[in-house]
Amino acid sequence: MTKIDTTRPFLPVRIAVMTVSDTRTLETDTSGQALVSRLEQAGHVLADRTIVRDDVGQITEQLTLWIKDPLVDVVITNGGTGVTGRDVTPEAFDRVLEKRIEGFGELFRMLSYRKIGTSTIQSRAIAGVADGTYLFALPGSTGAVKDGWDDILVFQLDSRHRPCNFVELMPRLREGLKEDHAHD
């Protein structure tokens, strides 16, 4: 169960938010704004925010920029995780991920099932790590973004969460990469 250890310090992380949509603007992006509001209320830092079209190349390009940016610890996308022809966020993630966090999508769908039933099967929520940066892809609905943040990410991105959390692993995410680069 969820437990916050108040004897430990809270460590804010720098989070970039990408909305994947052909139609939204910053003014109409309610799911992106819900995510920004939640991460800031939790004490984290909004590192960057953008809207990218449903295009594998454009999504991959923005993900790559943020992965290489030392001022971005976490990327959360919303949108493009469905099954239509324009839903290509998981395919873009596949181009950059070094390791998948399989349990994220599984847990998201399990929690979502309780609220929307079998319709959750249409979500291809995915997560992983690339060059020491966490990447999370949520569906584009405001409800899905709230569920993903409120039920999973708010805890896993809190350094005080017990028994474990993603933040405490951040210093070790690049361990194998350092060895690989040492042999180049």
Side-chain angles (χ1 to χ4, degrees):
M1 295 311 301
T2 300
K3 181 181 178 202
I4 299 297
D5 181 351
T6 56
T7 66
R8 299 179 58 96
F10 175 80
L11 302 173
V13 296
R14 298 164 300 212
I15 303 173
V17 174
M18 178 195 308
T19 296
V20 178
S21 174
D22 289 336
T23 59
R24 293 186 193 171
T25 65
L26 285 176
E27 295 76 32
T28 62
D29 181 21
T30 56
S31 59
Q33 188 54 50
L35 191 52
V36 169
S37 296
R38 279 171 160 66
L39 73 88
E40 290 179 335
Q41 286 170 5
H44 298 296
V45 177
L46 178 64
D48 200 1
R49 180 180 178 190
T50 193
I51 297 177
V52 176
R53 294 183 58 76
D54 290 284
D55 176 84
V56 173
Q58 289 181 33
I59 299 166
T60 302
E61 181 179 348
Q62 185 60 58
L63 289 173
T64 301
L65 288 172
W66 282 338
I67 290 164
K68 291 179 180 179
D69 187 340
L71 298 178
V72 175
D73 301 313
V74 175
V75 174
I76 305 174
T77 68
N78 65 94
T81 62
V83 296
T84 73
R86 297 292 295 157
D87 293 321
V88 294
T89 302
E91 287 75 16
F93 270 52
D94 285 340
R95 291 186 177 185
V96 299
L97 289 182
E98 294 160 357
K99 291 186 178 185
R100 285 179 169 244
I101 302 171
E102 301 292 350
F104 177 78
E106 294 164 357
L107 180 57
F108 176 82
R109 284 181 286 279
M110 182 197 80
L111 295 167
S112 181
Y113 176 77
R114 296 177 183 164
K115 297 178 181 183
I116 65 169
T118 59
S119 295
T120 193
I121 197 116
Q122 295 180 23
S123 167
R124 297 185 301 142
I126 184 175
V129 180
D131 198 19
T133 302
Y134 286 113
L135 306 172
F136 301 95
L138 293 168
S141 75
T142 302
V145 165
K146 289 177 180 178
D147 292 345
W149 180 266
D150 296 348
D151 296 341
I152 303 171
L153 293 175
V154 72
F155 302 111
Q156 282 301 300
L157 296 178
D158 189 326
S159 55
R160 304 165 301 169
H161 181 263
R162 294 283 153 256
C164 58
N165 61 76
F166 286 137
V167 178
E168 64 193 359
L169 299 177
M170 285 178 166
R172 298 179 50 211
L173 291 178
R174 302 188 85 240
E175 284 177 341
L177 299 174
K178 290 177 186 170
E179 294 171 12
D180 293 342
H181 293 303
H183 299 291
D184 290 343

